[in-house]
Amino acid sequence: MSNRTLPVASLGFPRIGRHRELKFALEGYWSGRIAEGDLLETAKTLRAENWAVQRDNGITQIPSNDFSFYDHVLDTAVMVGAIPAAYGWTGGEVPLSLYFAMARGSEGDGAAGCGHVHRGHGVPALEMTKWFDTNYHYMVPDIAEDQVFTLTSQKPVDHFLEAKALGIHTRPVVLGPVTFLKLAKARPATFKPLDLLAGLLPVYEDLFRRLAAAGADWVQVDEPILALDLTEGERHAFKLSYDSLAKAAPGLKVMLTTYFGALADNLEAAAALPVAGLHIDLARAPEQLDAVARAVRADQVLSLGVIDGRNIWRADLAAILDRLTPVVAARGADAVAVAASCSLLHVPIDLELETALDADLRTWLAFATQKLGELATLGRGLAQGKDAVRQTVNDAAQAIAARASSPKVTDPLVRGRVAGIDAGMKTRASAFEDRRAAQADAIALPLFPTTTIGSFPQTSDVRKARSAHAGGALSYKDYEAFLRRETAAAIRWQEEIGLDVLVHGEFERNDMVQYFGEQLSGFAFTRHAWVQSYGSRYVRPPIIFGDVSRPNPMTVRWWQYAQSLTRKPVKGMLTGPVTILNWSFVRDDIPRSETCRQIALAIRDEVSDLEKAGAKMIQIDEAALREGLPLRHKDWRHYLDWAVEAFRLCSSGVADGTQIHTHMCYSEFNDIIPAIAAMDADVISIETSRSKMELLDAFRNFRYPNEIGPGVYDIHSPRVPGTEEMTGLLSLARQRLQDRQLWVNPDCGLKTRKWEEVRPALVNMVEAVRRLRDADGPQDAAVTAQ
């Protein structure tokens, strides 16, 4: 039988290793347990394994330079010399210690070392935010107005040659110049990084010439901002860039790669560029196929991203073949490629590792390795006809049909409860000012109340105890006693340092989403399906496969125990419905909004039970609310309406005297501040330390009336900020907000940090507030009544 196939492309493969080898190597290097050479060797082994698995699964366009020690945007910033002066770089090769200083903060003066705690010195990490609407974080390039770009390394060339030496011809991947500058932050904010495009392009031209000289015939240039709303000036920047690059290396063919949405009004500009190929995301925007097929030139390769790179459901191969066959017939097999919609970075590596999953569910799924097989099937089927892949296509169709009819998926009681939601269930009984007075009567707090976001360090002892209990080596009784000791110690310590509002530490919780999902119906969990969130921080997103409900209370018992140990208020800690949704692999057979309402009703039940147990403060974290925001402004209103509705649905059933908190991560609030206000949380805590409180401008300009806890301590770095640093941040916050609005807290939960970092940082935070209170003189104890 013929082996003919269409070109089949993987745009990127998970870099973490089947068994998280990169995580353990990085953390070993940061702690000083392994040498730099050992880290480099682990990375080289992982790259070789990734190239081989893609080759062996039928991928013909295998990416290189998709590997990163921390983040591909940071790699690009370092490669082009966009290194702020604070890191002490004076030119030449960039050492790993400086690279990791930009990612994690430095441990002393300049960019020295990696991973040791330092007390208020060194340089903070770059800002970090979400990569478009995914749960992956990237490091935000920091660009000065006088930035001079230079090629500091040829990493894309080196990785191409490394694969070539193994007998694997790859397609190098680089982040495009326009997207790189569009994502960067200007210092000062009086200019636009894109104004520096003319200075950046020669660096890309140099890189492209080196790739061509090394033997590369294609280069994949990722420009995902083509899925955003762009100005005419930004579209013109693409023409300038790709005209320049086409002249620099005429023999190097460019696959311009877009993803996460439709080209829409950017299609004409993209199709006119002098590139050899154009990739589109048909998983997120299937409706764009016909328009793009008409617009792309006959001499260009149209790369069709038909396998979802962001979710884990098995593809309907028959439907995809039917949809693409006319396109191949019209354009010719040489002018079409099939591909993943985006990099497979966003999905777990291999379903074969999940031997304990429900047997039915397992047949419904495809992880990164299985997606490679789906791509190979499509490439062969489109080249040879559906009969050549009949068995594989039929197997997929049977699995999809079985999922659709499974009683595990649908619960009529849940559907009926959602149908019964009314307006009264989504509105607090009183306005905020009335609630503030009721809460002041119930909870006496000083000015600038101090608290934390919820979790405390998950030490090796905590992880070992959890693992031993899960494996049967530690009895339930002994595990329970261990958790009680950890919780009691955390409560005592918080009282000792003088925090005003306490948390129980969440030692019983494995993850802020998984912990709840494990107690809700409709969720499934994996053992090895890790996905990178940032750096060495990996998560195992739950799989929402069916209708969601809450069989039993989930957090009440641990809150009651913690509150019994202290007279100070202890917050009840919950994860909100939008965050649970956005940090899970979500079913694709009903609207996301419907699943979110189901989760909201489950969390509403938990809020009610906490209040009945005596909780006066309940925090419902919506860390991921903004990351679910559609990329196009025209789609925002629909999403924000149901997202805000879900939060209000779970938070509005309480009495006026019960204070509702929420927490949000990495959010630019200017453009969604009305939606934040519409959530009507009594207190919102946000991450602001890396941005030096700039995010508070949105709240000031909006005249946000409720209370806010701007983070004064960056928990994503091992740095321990000093009291003066935090006092300075609080001064900046007071310039933007009224004193009676301000709470004081870290940027985020402390689960991933070490106690030797957390203890001095929180002591410094409390001391900063004490100085603030002393400087202002005696204050009314019940700030919420002012």
Side-chain angles (χ1 to χ4, degrees):
M1 182 177 290
S2 170
N3 291 321
R4 287 185 302 114
T5 181
L6 256 67
V8 179
S10 162
L11 306 190
F13 199 74
R15 47 181 84 129
I16 64 180
R18 285 170 62 85
H19 303 289
R20 293 183 289 163
E21 292 91 340
L22 182 58
K23 172 185 176 69
F24 300 126
L26 282 170
E27 293 176 354
Y29 171 68
W30 293 335
S31 67
R33 297 194 307 272
I34 69 170
E36 181 175 315
D38 298 319
L39 175 63
L40 296 176
E41 189 61 32
T42 296
K44 185 175 181 180
T45 299
L46 290 174
R47 290 193 293 270
E49 291 175 353
N50 285 353
W51 293 325
V53 75
Q54 291 173 91
R55 176 199 61 196
D56 295 346
N57 278 277
I59 303 301
T60 63
Q61 296 286 343
I62 299 171
S64 59
N65 195 45
D66 56 331
F67 177 87
S68 174
F69 279 119
Y70 206 94
D71 162 53
H72 59 279
V73 183
L74 175 62
D75 289 0
T76 307
V78 170
M79 183 183 73
V80 302
I83 302 171
Y87 294 96
W89 181 63
T90 56
E93 184 177 352
V94 178
L96 269 181
S97 57
L98 190 152
Y99 173 90
F100 287 127
M102 293 174 71
R104 309 174 70 239
S106 74
E107 68 171 71
D109 294 335
C114 48
H116 304 292
V117 178
H118 51 99
R119 314 292 179 192
H121 301 288
V123 183
L126 293 176
E127 290 184 39
M128 183 164 60
T129 194
K130 293 297 176 73
W131 176 245
F132 294 83
D133 58 351
T134 75
N135 191 30
Y136 175 80
H137 304 64
Y138 75 93
M139 308 305 300
V140 181
D142 194 315
I143 307 292
E145 191 168 13
D146 60 352
Q147 176 71 54
V148 176
F149 296 104
T150 182
L151 189 65
T152 70
S153 79
Q154 55 172 17
K155 174 174 171 275
V157 180
D158 294 340
H159 287 192
F160 172 80
L161 292 173
E162 189 178 306
K164 187 176 181 180
L166 297 172
I168 301 175
H169 187 82
T170 61
R171 185 172 72 182
V173 181
V174 297
L175 181 64
V178 185
T179 293
F180 173 74
L181 290 175
K182 175 73 171 174
L183 297 181
K185 183 167 187 173
R187 296 283 188 184
T190 52
F191 78 102
K192 295 179 180 179
L194 203 54
D195 294 341
L196 303 181
L197 180 63
L200 177 62
L201 286 177
V203 178
Y204 273 80
E205 293 168 5
D206 187 6
L207 174 64
F208 277 33
R209 285 190 289 265
R210 295 182 188 217
L211 285 170
D217 50 359
W218 280 90
V219 59
Q220 174 185 318
V221 185
D222 288 357
E223 294 280 15
I225 68 161
L226 281 164
L228 304 181
D229 298 309
L230 299 180
T231 66
E232 284 303 317
E234 289 165 341
R235 293 192 188 104
H236 184 61
F238 278 99
K239 177 173 171 50
L240 292 176
S241 297
Y242 289 89
D243 283 350
S244 171
L245 295 176
K247 295 173 184 175
L252 183 63
K253 292 179 283 190
V254 170
M255 176 59 73
L256 181 66
T257 310
T258 70
Y259 41 80
F260 300 153
L263 283 166
D265 54 350
N266 298 323
L267 172 56
E268 183 179 353
L273 297 175
V275 295
L278 178 66
H279 172 85
I280 58 173
D281 184 340
L282 294 177
R284 294 295 294 273
E287 73 284 353
Q288 68 175 323
L289 175 57
D290 292 340
V292 175
R294 288 192 300 268
V296 171
R297 300 191 309 270
D299 64 336
Q300 289 179 308
V301 174
L302 178 56
S303 175
L304 304 175
V306 290
I307 296 298
D308 193 346
R310 292 182 53 178
N311 213 332
I312 42 72
W313 301 106
R314 197 166 179 171
D316 188 341
L317 299 177
I320 295 172
L321 287 171
D322 290 343
R323 183 74 175 99
L324 299 191
T325 295
V327 179
V328 175
R331 294 187 60 82
D334 293 335
V336 179
V338 289
S341 61
C342 61
S343 171
L344 298 175
L345 167 73
H346 307 287
V347 295
I349 290 178
D350 194 350
L351 183 61
E352 293 300 316
L353 297 172
E354 300 302 328
T355 56
L357 267 181
D358 174 85
D360 289 336
L361 177 60
R362 202 167 182 271
T363 66
W364 306 341
L365 305 178
F367 291 176
T369 303
Q370 288 68 45
K371 290 176 184 293
L372 301 177
E374 290 179 328
L375 286 168
T377 296
L378 292 171
R380 188 176 168 206
L382 289 167
Q384 302 176 32
K386 191 181 290 187
D387 286 344
V389 290
R390 177 69 61 186
Q391 187 58 57
T392 304
V393 170
N394 287 346
D395 289 347
Q398 290 172 10
I400 291 167
R403 176 188 169 200
S405 61
S406 173
K408 299 176 182 179
V409 171
T410 305
D411 183 339
L413 294 177
V414 173
R415 300 289 176 98
R417 191 177 181 200
V418 170
I421 294 172
D422 60 35
M425 297 173 66
K426 297 178 285 187
T427 307
R428 293 289 293 270
S430 302
F432 171 69
E433 287 300 330
D434 294 330
R435 301 198 309 266
R436 171 183 271 173
Q439 290 160 20
D441 290 339
I443 317 163
L445 292 173
L447 199 64
F448 313 120
T450 56
T451 189
T452 65
I453 302 305
S455 60
F456 279 136
Q458 294 267 321
T459 64
S460 59
D461 288 343
V462 172
R463 295 193 301 271
K464 287 176 183 176
R466 182 182 300 124
S467 178
H469 175 58
L474 186 65
S475 70
Y476 173 83
K477 179 180 179 181
D478 289 341
Y479 183 52
E480 183 88 354
F482 169 81
L483 293 174
R484 282 177 168 257
R485 289 194 298 272
E486 292 291 316
T487 302
I491 292 292
R492 285 196 305 272
W493 181 75
Q494 291 173 85
E495 286 190 316
E496 289 170 4
I497 68 169
L499 284 168
D500 300 308
V501 175
L502 313 188
V503 297
H504 79 285
E506 304 180 15
F507 302 107
E508 79 285 3
R509 303 185 188 184
N510 42 23
D511 176 84
M512 67 180 292
V513 173
Q514 181 176 346
Y515 177 78
F516 292 94
E518 286 176 340
Q519 300 179 78
L520 296 170
S521 65
F523 281 75
F525 294 87
T526 61
R527 293 184 178 179
H528 307 285
W530 297 98
V531 177
Q532 185 180 26
S533 180
Y534 64 88
S536 67
R537 171 67 170 155
Y538 307 157
V539 294
R540 284 179 301 166
I543 299 168
I544 306 178
F545 68 88
D547 290 338
V548 178
S549 62
R550 187 202 71 148
N552 298 294
M554 301 179 287
T555 66
V556 175
R557 185 169 62 90
W558 280 109
W559 176 84
Q560 287 177 314
Y561 173 66
Q563 188 63 77
S564 74
L565 301 173
T566 180
R567 296 178 64 86
K568 288 189 172 184
V570 177
K571 289 188 288 187
M573 300 299 305
L574 305 174
T575 303
V578 181
T579 297
I580 291 176
L581 181 88
N582 285 336
W583 287 359
S584 299
F585 290 122
V586 182
R587 58 191 294 190
D588 58 357
D589 57 335
I590 64 174
R592 292 170 64 89
S593 56
E594 180 77 2
T595 298
C596 198
R597 290 184 184 96
Q598 294 178 2
I599 301 170
L601 288 172
I603 300 301
R604 181 184 179 93
D605 293 343
E606 189 70 13
V607 169
S608 176
D609 284 345
L610 279 168
E611 185 181 48
K612 289 174 184 175
K616 294 298 183 184
M617 294 181 176
I618 301 172
Q619 181 169 310
I620 308 170
D621 287 342
E622 283 296 17
L625 184 132
R626 197 188 193 284
E627 78 182 46
L629 196 67
L631 300 182
R632 295 284 186 160
H633 286 77
K634 67 180 178 60
D635 302 318
W636 284 15
R637 178 65 181 271
H638 174 68
Y639 166 77
L640 289 171
D641 282 351
W642 63 255
V644 170
E645 174 196 275
F647 182 83
R648 293 177 67 120
L649 182 59
C650 68
S651 64
S652 294
V654 297
D656 288 353
T658 300
Q659 190 173 72
I660 296 293
H661 291 235
T662 192
H663 171 69
M664 292 186 178
C665 297
Y666 300 111
S667 291
E668 295 290 343
F669 291 112
N670 286 297
D671 42 13
I672 64 165
I673 193 68
I676 302 299
M679 292 170 68
D680 200 24
D682 299 303
V683 183
I684 178 174
S685 55
I686 58 176
E687 302 189 41
T688 54
S689 66
R690 288 194 183 188
S691 71
K692 304 295 187 283
M693 298 290 163
E694 290 176 1
L695 289 179
L696 290 181
D697 289 338
F699 293 88
R700 175 181 60 183
N701 296 338
F702 184 76
R703 298 182 182 274
Y704 185 80
N706 299 22
E707 297 174 13
I708 306 175
V712 297
Y713 159 31
D714 173 22
I715 69 90
H716 298 94
S717 166
R719 290 184 70 248
V720 175
T723 299
E724 295 298 332
E725 180 177 330
M726 295 192 199
T727 302
L729 288 173
L730 285 171
S731 296
L732 293 174
R734 295 179 75 189
Q735 294 172 18
R736 293 166 166 87
L737 299 172
Q738 299 177 40
D739 283 358
R740 69 174 186 167
Q741 288 181 279
L742 280 173
W743 287 62
V744 181
N745 44 256
D747 266 346
C748 200
L750 300 165
K751 171 185 174 181
T752 60
R753 299 265 55 92
K754 299 176 182 178
W755 275 113
E756 54 263 38
E757 302 158 6
V758 167
R759 287 191 178 99
L762 291 184
V763 167
N764 290 347
M765 185 183 84
V766 172
E767 173 61 17
V769 172
R770 186 192 64 78
R771 293 182 185 180
L772 208 58
R773 291 170 181 162
D774 288 350
D776 286 358
Q779 301 290 343
D780 188 334
V783 60
T784 51
Q786 293 182 5

